PDB file of all heavy atoms in Angstrom:
ATOM      1  N   GLY A   1       0.813  -1.228   0.012  1.00  0.00           N
ATOM      2  CA  GLY A   1       0.000   0.022  -0.009  1.00  0.00           C
ATOM      3  C   GLY A   1       0.819   1.279   0.010  1.00  0.00           C
ATOM      4  O   GLY A   1       0.319   2.353  -0.214  1.00  0.00           O
ATOM      5  N   ILE A   2       2.125   1.097   0.215  1.00  0.00           N
ATOM      6  CA  ILE A   2       3.011   2.314   0.257  1.00  0.00           C
ATOM      7  C   ILE A   2       3.560   2.602  -1.172  1.00  0.00           C
ATOM      8  O   ILE A   2       4.256   3.648  -1.346  1.00  0.00           O
ATOM      9  CB  ILE A   2       4.193   2.016   1.241  1.00  0.00           C
ATOM     10  CG1 ILE A   2       4.865   3.350   1.678  1.00  0.00           C
ATOM     11  CG2 ILE A   2       5.282   1.114   0.559  1.00  0.00           C
ATOM     12  CD1 ILE A   2       3.973   4.103   2.621  1.00  0.00           C
ATOM     13  N   LYS A   3       3.238   1.744  -2.120  1.00  0.00           N
ATOM     14  CA  LYS A   3       3.849   1.905  -3.460  1.00  0.00           C
ATOM     15  C   LYS A   3       3.565   3.233  -4.075  1.00  0.00           C
ATOM     16  O   LYS A   3       4.483   3.896  -4.595  1.00  0.00           O
ATOM     17  CB  LYS A   3       3.384   0.793  -4.397  1.00  0.00           C
ATOM     18  CG  LYS A   3       4.071   0.856  -5.763  1.00  0.00           C
ATOM     19  CD  LYS A   3       3.398  -0.063  -6.761  1.00  0.00           C
ATOM     20  CE  LYS A   3       3.679  -1.505  -6.490  1.00  0.00           C
ATOM     21  NZ  LYS A   3       3.152  -2.387  -7.592  1.00  0.00           N
ATOM     22  N   ASP A   4       2.357   3.711  -4.095  1.00  0.00           N
ATOM     23  CA  ASP A   4       2.027   4.922  -4.767  1.00  0.00           C
ATOM     24  C   ASP A   4       2.746   6.148  -4.203  1.00  0.00           C
ATOM     25  O   ASP A   4       3.237   6.997  -4.925  1.00  0.00           O
ATOM     26  CB  ASP A   4       0.491   5.151  -4.691  1.00  0.00           C
ATOM     27  CG  ASP A   4      -0.274   4.195  -5.571  1.00  0.00           C
ATOM     28  OD1 ASP A   4       0.352   3.573  -6.465  1.00  0.00           O
ATOM     29  OD2 ASP A   4      -1.508   4.087  -5.421  1.00  0.00           O
ATOM     30  N   SER A   5       2.817   6.202  -2.852  1.00  0.00           N
ATOM     31  CA  SER A   5       3.503   7.348  -2.256  1.00  0.00           C
ATOM     32  C   SER A   5       5.034   7.268  -2.511  1.00  0.00           C
ATOM     33  O   SER A   5       5.722   8.306  -2.667  1.00  0.00           O
ATOM     34  CB  SER A   5       3.259   7.414  -0.750  1.00  0.00           C
ATOM     35  OG  SER A   5       3.737   6.293  -0.058  1.00  0.00           O
ATOM     36  N   MET A   6       5.550   6.046  -2.605  1.00  0.00           N
ATOM     37  CA  MET A   6       6.943   5.887  -2.933  1.00  0.00           C
ATOM     38  C   MET A   6       7.217   6.377  -4.306  1.00  0.00           C
ATOM     39  O   MET A   6       8.242   7.091  -4.548  1.00  0.00           O
ATOM     40  CB  MET A   6       7.327   4.401  -2.773  1.00  0.00           C
ATOM     41  CG  MET A   6       8.781   4.070  -3.097  1.00  0.00           C
ATOM     42  SD  MET A   6       9.020   3.611  -4.870  1.00  0.00           S
ATOM     43  CE  MET A   6       8.155   2.052  -4.963  1.00  0.00           C
ATOM     44  N   ILE A   7       6.389   6.018  -5.289  1.00  0.00           N
ATOM     45  CA  ILE A   7       6.539   6.487  -6.643  1.00  0.00           C
ATOM     46  C   ILE A   7       6.415   7.995  -6.724  1.00  0.00           C
ATOM     47  O   ILE A   7       7.167   8.685  -7.485  1.00  0.00           O
ATOM     48  CB  ILE A   7       5.526   5.774  -7.590  1.00  0.00           C
ATOM     49  CG1 ILE A   7       5.876   4.261  -7.655  1.00  0.00           C
ATOM     50  CG2 ILE A   7       5.571   6.390  -8.980  1.00  0.00           C
ATOM     51  CD1 ILE A   7       4.825   3.440  -8.431  1.00  0.00           C
ATOM     52  N   ALA A   8       5.473   8.534  -5.956  1.00  0.00           N
ATOM     53  CA  ALA A   8       5.317   9.994  -5.923  1.00  0.00           C
ATOM     54  C   ALA A   8       6.593  10.687  -5.444  1.00  0.00           C
ATOM     55  O   ALA A   8       6.972  11.780  -5.996  1.00  0.00           O
ATOM     56  CB  ALA A   8       4.122  10.385  -5.086  1.00  0.00           C
ATOM     57  N   ASN A   9       7.250  10.093  -4.468  1.00  0.00           N
ATOM     58  CA  ASN A   9       8.462  10.674  -3.932  1.00  0.00           C
ATOM     59  C   ASN A   9       9.627  10.578  -4.970  1.00  0.00           C
ATOM     60  O   ASN A   9      10.412  11.512  -5.099  1.00  0.00           O
ATOM     61  CB  ASN A   9       8.907   9.929  -2.656  1.00  0.00           C
ATOM     62  CG  ASN A   9       8.081  10.346  -1.471  1.00  0.00           C
ATOM     63  OD1 ASN A   9       7.517  11.444  -1.419  1.00  0.00           O
ATOM     64  ND2 ASN A   9       8.004   9.494  -0.477  1.00  0.00           N
ATOM     65  N   LEU A  10       9.637   9.497  -5.713  1.00  0.00           N
ATOM     66  CA  LEU A  10      10.607   9.373  -6.835  1.00  0.00           C
ATOM     67  C   LEU A  10      10.393  10.495  -7.823  1.00  0.00           C
ATOM     68  O   LEU A  10      11.366  11.113  -8.320  1.00  0.00           O
ATOM     69  CB  LEU A  10      10.536   7.988  -7.461  1.00  0.00           C
ATOM     70  CG  LEU A  10      11.062   6.812  -6.700  1.00  0.00           C
ATOM     71  CD1 LEU A  10      10.663   5.493  -7.339  1.00  0.00           C
ATOM     72  CD2 LEU A  10      12.602   6.880  -6.572  1.00  0.00           C
ATOM     73  N   GLU A  11       9.182  10.747  -8.201  1.00  0.00           N
ATOM     74  CA  GLU A  11       8.847  11.770  -9.147  1.00  0.00           C
ATOM     75  C   GLU A  11       9.280  13.139  -8.615  1.00  0.00           C
ATOM     76  O   GLU A  11       9.787  14.003  -9.373  1.00  0.00           O
ATOM     77  CB  GLU A  11       7.376  11.759  -9.484  1.00  0.00           C
ATOM     78  CG  GLU A  11       6.898  10.601 -10.279  1.00  0.00           C
ATOM     79  CD  GLU A  11       7.588  10.474 -11.651  1.00  0.00           C
ATOM     80  OE1 GLU A  11       7.821  11.551 -12.254  1.00  0.00           O
ATOM     81  OE2 GLU A  11       7.904   9.376 -12.101  1.00  0.00           O
ATOM     82  N   SER A  12       9.082  13.349  -7.341  1.00  0.00           N
ATOM     83  CA  SER A  12       9.457  14.634  -6.719  1.00  0.00           C
ATOM     84  C   SER A  12      10.958  14.819  -6.834  1.00  0.00           C
ATOM     85  O   SER A  12      11.439  15.946  -7.129  1.00  0.00           O
ATOM     86  CB  SER A  12       9.002  14.668  -5.275  1.00  0.00           C
ATOM     87  OG  SER A  12       9.393  15.875  -4.671  1.00  0.00           O
ATOM     88  N   LEU A  13      11.726  13.773  -6.608  1.00  0.00           N
ATOM     89  CA  LEU A  13      13.194  13.915  -6.628  1.00  0.00           C
ATOM     90  C   LEU A  13      13.605  14.225  -8.069  1.00  0.00           C
ATOM     91  O   LEU A  13      14.523  15.016  -8.325  1.00  0.00           O
ATOM     92  CB  LEU A  13      13.842  12.589  -6.165  1.00  0.00           C
ATOM     93  CG  LEU A  13      13.828  12.370  -4.655  1.00  0.00           C
ATOM     94  CD1 LEU A  13      14.393  11.001  -4.321  1.00  0.00           C
ATOM     95  CD2 LEU A  13      14.613  13.440  -3.909  1.00  0.00           C
ATOM     96  N   LYS A  14      12.980  13.571  -9.057  1.00  0.00           N
ATOM     97  CA  LYS A  14      13.313  13.841 -10.450  1.00  0.00           C
ATOM     98  C   LYS A  14      13.011  15.308 -10.774  1.00  0.00           C
ATOM     99  O   LYS A  14      13.767  15.996 -11.516  1.00  0.00           O
ATOM    100  CB  LYS A  14      12.607  12.896 -11.383  1.00  0.00           C
ATOM    101  CG  LYS A  14      13.176  11.480 -11.321  1.00  0.00           C
ATOM    102  CD  LYS A  14      12.561  10.549 -12.366  1.00  0.00           C
ATOM    103  CE  LYS A  14      11.141  10.091 -12.028  1.00  0.00           C
ATOM    104  NZ  LYS A  14      10.646   9.113 -12.953  1.00  0.00           N
ATOM    105  N   GLU A  15      11.864  15.794 -10.288  1.00  0.00           N
ATOM    106  CA  GLU A  15      11.531  17.195 -10.563  1.00  0.00           C
ATOM    107  C   GLU A  15      12.549  18.150  -9.914  1.00  0.00           C
ATOM    108  O   GLU A  15      12.734  19.301 -10.432  1.00  0.00           O
ATOM    109  CB  GLU A  15      10.094  17.451  -9.999  1.00  0.00           C
ATOM    110  CG  GLU A  15       9.021  16.815 -10.815  1.00  0.00           C
ATOM    111  CD  GLU A  15       7.647  16.918 -10.112  1.00  0.00           C
ATOM    112  OE1 GLU A  15       7.601  17.560  -9.050  1.00  0.00           O
ATOM    113  OE2 GLU A  15       6.649  16.357 -10.649  1.00  0.00           O
ATOM    114  N   GLN A  16      13.150  17.714  -8.836  1.00  0.00           N
ATOM    115  CA  GLN A  16      14.132  18.583  -8.167  1.00  0.00           C
ATOM    116  C   GLN A  16      15.564  18.441  -8.837  1.00  0.00           C
ATOM    117  O   GLN A  16      16.499  19.064  -8.376  1.00  0.00           O
ATOM    118  CB  GLN A  16      14.287  18.169  -6.704  1.00  0.00           C
ATOM    119  CG  GLN A  16      13.016  18.474  -5.876  1.00  0.00           C
ATOM    120  CD  GLN A  16      13.140  18.010  -4.424  1.00  0.00           C
ATOM    121  OE1 GLN A  16      14.119  18.454  -3.725  1.00  0.00           O
ATOM    122  NE2 GLN A  16      12.237  17.224  -3.954  1.00  0.00           N
ATOM    123  N   GLY A  17      15.588  17.717  -9.893  1.00  0.00           N
ATOM    124  CA  GLY A  17      16.851  17.628 -10.687  1.00  0.00           C
ATOM    125  C   GLY A  17      17.784  16.540 -10.259  1.00  0.00           C
ATOM    126  O   GLY A  17      18.934  16.564 -10.710  1.00  0.00           O
ATOM    127  N   ALA A  18      17.349  15.600  -9.451  1.00  0.00           N
ATOM    128  CA  ALA A  18      18.261  14.521  -9.032  1.00  0.00           C
ATOM    129  C   ALA A  18      18.714  13.723 -10.213  1.00  0.00           C
ATOM    130  O   ALA A  18      17.961  13.263 -11.043  1.00  0.00           O
ATOM    131  CB  ALA A  18      17.571  13.598  -8.046  1.00  0.00           C
ATOM    132  N   GLN A  19      20.055  13.570 -10.342  1.00  0.00           N
ATOM    133  CA  GLN A  19      20.675  12.792 -11.422  1.00  0.00           C
ATOM    134  C   GLN A  19      20.936  11.342 -11.018  1.00  0.00           C
ATOM    135  O   GLN A  19      21.073  10.481 -11.904  1.00  0.00           O
ATOM    136  CB  GLN A  19      21.949  13.490 -11.833  1.00  0.00           C
ATOM    137  CG  GLN A  19      21.779  14.899 -12.401  1.00  0.00           C
ATOM    138  CD  GLN A  19      23.050  15.697 -12.431  1.00  0.00           C
ATOM    139  OE1 GLN A  19      23.389  16.347 -11.452  1.00  0.00           O
ATOM    140  NE2 GLN A  19      23.712  15.738 -13.544  1.00  0.00           N
ATOM    141  N   ILE A  20      21.063  11.093  -9.762  1.00  0.00           N
ATOM    142  CA  ILE A  20      21.217   9.777  -9.196  1.00  0.00           C
ATOM    143  C   ILE A  20      20.222   9.693  -8.053  1.00  0.00           C
ATOM    144  O   ILE A  20      20.144  10.566  -7.206  1.00  0.00           O
ATOM    145  CB  ILE A  20      22.630   9.521  -8.629  1.00  0.00           C
ATOM    146  CG1 ILE A  20      23.692   9.668  -9.752  1.00  0.00           C
ATOM    147  CG2 ILE A  20      22.737   8.138  -7.970  1.00  0.00           C
ATOM    148  CD1 ILE A  20      25.105   9.620  -9.256  1.00  0.00           C
ATOM    149  N   ILE A  21      19.406   8.613  -8.054  1.00  0.00           N
ATOM    150  CA  ILE A  21      18.407   8.436  -6.957  1.00  0.00           C
ATOM    151  C   ILE A  21      18.685   7.073  -6.244  1.00  0.00           C
ATOM    152  O   ILE A  21      18.771   6.051  -6.886  1.00  0.00           O
ATOM    153  CB  ILE A  21      17.008   8.471  -7.569  1.00  0.00           C
ATOM    154  CG1 ILE A  21      16.679   9.825  -8.179  1.00  0.00           C
ATOM    155  CG2 ILE A  21      15.992   8.124  -6.435  1.00  0.00           C
ATOM    156  CD1 ILE A  21      15.301   9.917  -8.810  1.00  0.00           C
ATOM    157  N   ILE A  22      18.798   7.263  -4.929  1.00  0.00           N
ATOM    158  CA  ILE A  22      19.029   6.032  -4.087  1.00  0.00           C
ATOM    159  C   ILE A  22      17.835   5.856  -3.133  1.00  0.00           C
ATOM    160  O   ILE A  22      17.484   6.770  -2.378  1.00  0.00           O
ATOM    161  CB  ILE A  22      20.322   6.183  -3.278  1.00  0.00           C
ATOM    162  CG1 ILE A  22      21.530   6.359  -4.268  1.00  0.00           C
ATOM    163  CG2 ILE A  22      20.519   4.967  -2.371  1.00  0.00           C
ATOM    164  CD1 ILE A  22      22.811   6.702  -3.557  1.00  0.00           C
ATOM    165  N   ALA A  23      17.203   4.737  -3.263  1.00  0.00           N
ATOM    166  CA  ALA A  23      15.936   4.411  -2.491  1.00  0.00           C
ATOM    167  C   ALA A  23      16.250   3.423  -1.397  1.00  0.00           C
ATOM    168  O   ALA A  23      16.673   2.332  -1.664  1.00  0.00           O
ATOM    169  CB  ALA A  23      14.843   3.940  -3.424  1.00  0.00           C
ATOM    170  N   SER A  24      15.950   3.840  -0.162  1.00  0.00           N
ATOM    171  CA  SER A  24      16.103   2.936   1.023  1.00  0.00           C
ATOM    172  C   SER A  24      14.763   2.423   1.441  1.00  0.00           C
ATOM    173  O   SER A  24      13.774   3.190   1.455  1.00  0.00           O
ATOM    174  CB  SER A  24      16.792   3.643   2.147  1.00  0.00           C
ATOM    175  OG  SER A  24      18.116   3.982   1.873  1.00  0.00           O
ATOM    176  N   PHE A  25      14.695   1.148   1.803  1.00  0.00           N
ATOM    177  CA  PHE A  25      13.430   0.545   2.226  1.00  0.00           C
ATOM    178  C   PHE A  25      13.642  -0.176   3.552  1.00  0.00           C
ATOM    179  O   PHE A  25      14.643  -0.906   3.769  1.00  0.00           O
ATOM    180  CB  PHE A  25      12.906  -0.479   1.233  1.00  0.00           C
ATOM    181  CG  PHE A  25      12.429   0.121  -0.038  1.00  0.00           C
ATOM    182  CD1 PHE A  25      13.275   0.363  -1.086  1.00  0.00           C
ATOM    183  CD2 PHE A  25      11.064   0.442  -0.194  1.00  0.00           C
ATOM    184  CE1 PHE A  25      12.802   0.944  -2.260  1.00  0.00           C
ATOM    185  CE2 PHE A  25      10.578   0.981  -1.348  1.00  0.00           C
ATOM    186  CZ  PHE A  25      11.435   1.244  -2.413  1.00  0.00           C
TER     187      PHE A  25
END
């Protein structure tokens, strides 16, 4: 159930210009 908010956070990082994204779970 956390998937959608996780994807939204990924999109936010891309919008902020992140060139490398590291996701911790």
Side-chain angles (χ1 to χ4, degrees):
I2 202 72
K3 183 192 290 187
D4 289 343
S5 64
M6 179 268 292
I7 293 173
N9 285 335
L10 286 169
E11 290 299 322
S12 179
L13 287 174
K14 288 187 283 186
E15 290 171 1
Q16 294 178 56
Q19 297 163 273
I20 299 171
I21 297 178
I22 301 172
S24 293
F25 289 88

